[in-house]
């Protein structure tokens, strides 16, 4: 489906001066023509500003769109590296073929998450979630960043929101599908339930975005479920994940380092 937009994108690129110009025009469009930048307020903020809930009829939770954009960027970098630069992947993300021949194998390596399906609800669908820094369990696939966890469950039959019940509290997750309990357990760490949400994609996938209460690498989603070795995680924190003061301090250190190297 993405390829269908290639011709359109090439035409747009010809009108731009460079990648920065492309991104600027794209996000300018989202700002002017959509509710991409509109922030949904908490009940406390509504009370503080003297507003009613109508201001929350559109928009997104704080950092939701920023995290989504960052995740899309990370996913595409990973896909590119799997095909073109597998030697840059963490050892737990490499396929045998990619480590044996970097240049000749241009096919996309098989993702474990695409071939395993959850029990007891068998499905012929394949996972779409990127399991980098996560895993595939008996019932779901999951991935994580410093800030959040993405979890995907497959359904063997087409479903709607009426078929699904999801309860996310600060320390527990409960999911029922068509009257059957899929998950009912305690998170391995605390979460921000207000900023966590779920949706149904293409009628067969339950997707959850769970915001962590603390910036920690998780070894599992639910206590007692399969775990991963957090030592194998590529523990790189993006600059925008630091606070403003921390970002300024880091940028100052980088600038000072560059200035120092000029005179060496």
């Amino acid at each position: 489906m993405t390829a269908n937009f290639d011709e359109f994108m090439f035409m747009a690129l010809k009108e731009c001066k460079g990648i920065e110009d492309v991104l600027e025009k794209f996000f300018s469009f989202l700002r002017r023509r959509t509710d991409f930048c509109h922030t949904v307020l908490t009940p406390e903020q509504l009370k503080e500003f003297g507003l009613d809930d109508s201001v929350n009829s559109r928009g997104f939770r704080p950092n939701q769109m920023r995290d989504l954009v960052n995740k899309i960027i990370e996913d595409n970098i990973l896909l590119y590296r799997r095909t073109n630069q597998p030697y840059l992947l963490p050892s737990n993300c490499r396929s045998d073929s990619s480590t044996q021949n970097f240049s000749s194998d241009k096919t996309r390596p098989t993702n474990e998450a695409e071939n395993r399906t959850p029990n007891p609800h068998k499905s012929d669908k394949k996972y779409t979630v990127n399991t980098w820094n996560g895993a595939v369990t008996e019932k779901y696939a999951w991935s994580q960043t410093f800030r959040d966890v993405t979890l995907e469950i497959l359904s063997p039959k087409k479903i709607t929101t009426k078929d699904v019940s999801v309860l996310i509290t600060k320390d527990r997750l409960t999911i029922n599908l068509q009257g059957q309990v899929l998950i009912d357990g305690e998170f391995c760490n605390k979460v921000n339930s207000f900023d966590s949400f779920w949706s149904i994609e293409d009628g067969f996938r339950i997707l959850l975005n769970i915001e962590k209460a603390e910036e920690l690498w998780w070894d599992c989603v639910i206590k007692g479920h399969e775990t991963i070795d957090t030592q194998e995680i590529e523990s790189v924190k993006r600059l925008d994940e630091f606070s403003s003061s921390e970002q300024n301090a880091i940028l100052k250190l980088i600038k000072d380092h560059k200035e120092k190297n000029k005179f060496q």
Side-chain angles (χ1 to χ4, degrees), residues 36-170:
F36 183 84
C37 296
H38 188 88
T39 301
V40 172
L41 303 180
T42 64
E44 292 77 15
Q45 288 175 317
L46 291 174
K47 184 177 180 180
E48 178 185 352
F49 301 138
L51 301 171
D52 59 48
D53 197 47
S54 62
V55 299
N56 285 341
S57 61
R58 60 192 181 96
F60 303 89
R61 283 176 282 275
N63 294 322
Q64 181 182 349
M65 288 298 94
R66 182 182 290 107
D67 291 342
L68 176 60
V69 171
N70 286 333
K71 184 177 185 302
I72 291 172
I73 292 173
E74 288 179 351
D75 287 350
N76 278 277
I77 290 175
L78 178 60
L79 289 173
Y80 179 86
R81 287 180 176 178
R82 279 178 171 163
T83 302
N84 299 283
Q85 293 184 300
Y87 42 83
L88 293 179
L89 293 172
S91 58
N92 62 326
C93 291
R94 297 176 188 169
S95 66
D96 292 338
S97 59
S98 66
T99 55
Q100 291 172 359
N101 191 334
F102 295 151
S103 59
S104 62
D105 184 8
K106 295 298 181 180
T107 59
R108 183 171 176 265
T110 301
N111 189 332
E112 180 187 9
E114 294 177 342
N115 292 319
R116 291 183 57 183
T117 53
N119 287 319
H121 299 274
K122 292 289 185 180
S123 171
D124 58 359
K125 299 291 181 179
K126 296 179 180 179
Y127 286 116
T128 58
V129 67
N130 180 349
T131 56
W132 197 22
N133 291 345
V136 179
T137 73
E138 288 298 315
K139 295 183 178 180
Y140 54 84
W142 67 283
S143 64
Q144 65 176 317
T145 67
F146 258 154
R147 287 181 172 176
D148 58 31
V149 171
T150 300
L151 186 147
E152 179 180 4
I153 298 172
L154 300 180
S155 170
K157 299 178 181 179
K158 195 160 188 177
I159 55 175
T160 68
T161 53
K162 294 181 180 179
D163 301 311
V164 182
S165 171
V166 178
L167 177 61
I168 304 173
T169 68
K170 65 179 181 180

